[in-house]
Amino acid sequence: MRIKKLLIVMVTTISMVAPPALADLVLPWLSYRTGPYSAGGIPTADGFFDFFTMLNERDGGIGGVPVRLIECETGYNTQKGVECYESTKGEGSLVYVPLSTGITYQLIPKVSADQIPLHTMGYGRTSAKKGSIFEWVFNFPVNYWDGASIAIKYLLEQNDGDISGKKIALVYHNSAYGKEPIRTLEELSAKHGFELSLLPVDHPGLEQKSQWLEIRRNAMDYVLMWGWGVMNSVAIQEAANIRFPMENFIGIWWSGSENDVLPAGERAHGYKALAMHQVGTEYPIYDDLKTYVYDRGLTTGDGTSIGTVNYNHAIYNSMLLAEAIKTAQQIHGVGDITPPMMRDGLESLVMSEEVMDAWGLPNFAPAFEVSCENHGGNGIALIQQWDAENQEWNIISDFIQSDQDVIAPLIEADAAAYASENNLTPRC
């Protein structure tokens, strides 16, 4: 009898407890607001947080589920990045955005074992585009090998299709990040007949005089740069010191922010860089950011990074992740998705012009689709140029498609080697 009464009390108590609320959609952000790379790390973090603050304020999150952001400072240090991953993965983190090629390489085996997606937009391991091998890694919409090819394709256009005999130097951060384009440039050098010189710059990039003296001594026709943080601004100032023509100096998209050119003042005029997307704030999404974030005093940071190139990188990256979350929710019919469900959303992502328009970013970036086989998008980018007088970036090209005849075989070979080393069988 006492047991029966106890069971009645237990049932009554359970029935009086409210149904559990949906858990948050947890998104970690591996930041570097400190150190020599903070000039790039701060605006990207600000854009990421402002975007998801807007969604929480405007929509209550995504699919009725609030977004909870976790920021973990890495200082762009690989070991700290790994520590951030290990300390946050247990909180239900849906996808990691490491913002570092070095951290990416260390996390690839970890996320594969833990079954948590990794999104490296325009950086990281290029062959991760091969989704049949790298199931948990995504690097859409464009990668470093695409970037190298697009820069050379642009130079071909500027030289009536012939750059044979031209001297092209690569000034690169002496790390996994900076070394990524070398193989592609070597292949393109053989294909188009230009002379390639490789000039590494050691971390953090403050000492570059010898590299630029070599560029002057060898009368280089063009310089490409794979730099980040303070390295970029130092390189542009050194280029100006030797009177290298800025219109012949092209950086990757991580070498094309306001922070890179402003220290050189008027001397940076004409410098060029690749761009994954358009520039500026003339997009409807900024109206919502103003209404739900800026005007409510919820802006991350001091607001000075709003509308800058790196801030827009983060807005674009955030939009891609948010659309992937929506896609995952639709696929599985639930709002509170898991990391494996998030992987399904990323792999089924369709970024059409209509989707980007619905997010308030019409014509902001190329349309692309992700699939089991293709985790990297279409490999398309723009060229932007710095106007020092008006202190603004201007897009000066149409969207340029990378040379897939060169890049696709390199990706196949590198992914196959990784699969062999790790005893992996292609899944599609």
Side-chain angles (χ1 to χ4, degrees):
M1 185 70 178
R2 292 180 62 187
I3 294 175
K4 184 176 180 181
K5 288 182 178 179
L6 179 59
L7 287 173
I8 293 172
V9 170
M10 289 177 63
V11 170
T12 304
T13 302
I14 292 171
S15 66
M16 293 174 61
V17 176
L22 288 175
D24 294 336
L25 300 166
V26 180
L27 296 178
W29 185 260
L30 305 189
S31 292
Y32 36 95
R33 295 183 180 273
T34 60
Y37 305 100
S38 60
I42 291 171
T44 52
D46 289 351
F48 181 81
F49 278 80
D50 284 354
F51 180 90
F52 286 106
T53 297
M54 178 198 71
L55 291 191
N56 281 338
E57 293 290 310
R58 188 189 70 186
D59 306 331
I62 303 172
V65 186
V67 177
R68 178 165 67 90
L69 304 174
I70 302 174
E71 184 168 9
C72 189
E73 176 66 30
T74 72
Y76 200 72
N77 177 278
T78 297
Q79 184 56 42
K80 288 183 179 178
V82 173
E83 291 171 1
C84 279
Y85 170 80
E86 295 292 351
S87 67
T88 58
K89 69 179 183 180
E91 298 197 37
S93 299
L94 293 178
V95 58
Y96 277 86
V97 182
L99 292 171
S100 158
T101 294
I103 297 174
T104 297
Y105 269 78
Q106 292 299 311
L107 291 188
I108 286 174
K110 291 180 177 293
V111 300
S112 300
D114 296 332
Q115 298 191 346
I116 303 174
L118 186 70
H119 182 221
T120 63
M121 186 182 80
Y123 61 95
R125 183 171 186 143
T126 295
S127 59
K129 178 176 182 175
K130 185 75 171 177
S132 60
I133 301 299
F134 296 91
E135 179 177 358
W136 298 92
V137 187
F138 299 81
N139 58 6
F140 54 77
V142 66
N143 60 57
Y144 285 141
W145 297 357
D146 291 323
S149 171
I150 290 165
I152 295 301
K153 200 167 185 179
Y154 173 76
L155 293 182
L156 284 164
E157 292 174 358
Q158 300 303 299
N159 289 274
D160 298 321
D162 184 9
I163 55 175
S164 58
K166 296 291 185 183
K167 297 180 179 181
I168 301 177
L170 172 67
V171 176
Y172 66 95
H173 193 277
N174 195 12
S175 65
Y177 153 55
K179 295 173 184 177
E180 273 288 318
I182 292 176
R183 176 71 186 281
T184 304
L185 289 172
E186 289 173 341
E187 293 288 330
L188 291 168
S189 173
K191 179 175 182 176
H192 297 293
F194 62 86
E195 179 183 327
L196 177 65
S197 295
L198 303 175
L199 301 174
V201 175
D202 290 333
H203 162 85
L206 294 171
E207 298 296 330
Q208 300 183 41
K209 289 191 180 299
S210 63
Q211 289 89 340
W212 288 95
L213 289 175
E214 184 172 343
I215 288 169
R216 182 174 66 181
R217 182 168 56 250
N218 293 331
M220 292 293 174
D221 296 295
Y222 297 99
V223 174
L224 306 180
M225 178 164 67
W226 254 247
W228 187 227
V230 69
M231 173 184 162
N232 294 333
S233 58
V234 170
I236 292 169
Q237 291 178 81
E238 291 291 354
N241 289 341
I242 68 166
R243 301 183 184 279
F244 188 83
M246 284 296 167
E247 64 273 15
N248 292 348
F249 188 7
I250 305 174
I252 187 63
W253 34 76
W254 303 120
S255 300
S257 73
E258 292 78 3
N259 293 319
D260 302 325
V261 289
L262 287 173
E266 290 295 322
R267 301 191 304 165
H269 184 76
Y271 171 74
K272 298 173 183 175
L274 279 77
M276 285 183 274
H277 49 70
Q278 300 284 351
V279 297
T281 59
E282 300 302 314
Y283 294 92
I285 196 170
Y286 271 97
D287 295 333
D288 283 353
L289 284 165
K290 182 177 185 301
T291 299
Y292 294 99
V293 182
Y294 310 152
D295 289 351
R296 295 184 181 184
L298 301 175
T299 309
T300 307
D302 59 10
T304 57
S305 64
I306 292 171
T308 63
V309 167
N310 285 328
Y311 186 93
N312 277 354
H313 279 323
I315 293 294
Y316 182 45
N317 199 162
S318 302
M319 181 265 288
L320 296 177
L321 296 180
E323 182 63 24
I325 290 171
K326 286 179 59 179
T327 302
Q329 291 172 333
Q330 292 165 2
I331 290 171
H332 293 281
V334 297
D336 187 14
I337 62 171
T338 64
M341 291 177 183
M342 180 68 181
R343 188 206 66 83
D344 294 343
L346 289 162
E347 193 165 85
S348 302
L349 191 64
V350 177
M351 292 307 305
S352 65
E353 293 179 4
E354 292 76 15
V355 169
M356 286 185 281
D357 185 68
W359 279 107
L361 288 169
N363 304 312
F364 189 69
F368 68 92
E369 296 184 15
V370 187
S371 67
C372 174
E373 178 64 26
N374 179 6
H375 280 195
N378 298 336
I380 297 173
L382 299 153
I383 303 293
Q384 62 182 13
Q385 186 170 36
W386 180 246
D387 179 349
E389 181 178 353
N390 296 303
Q391 295 197 349
E392 63 182 13
W393 289 100
N394 295 309
I395 300 297
I396 61 169
S397 78
D398 294 328
F399 284 111
I400 301 173
Q401 170 71 62
S402 59
D403 186 347
Q404 291 300 304
D405 289 340
V406 170
I407 295 170
L410 293 177
I411 288 176
E412 289 289 335
D414 193 71
Y418 183 88
S420 177
E421 292 166 5
N422 293 276
N423 196 28
L424 299 175
T425 301
R427 61 192 181 91
C428 54

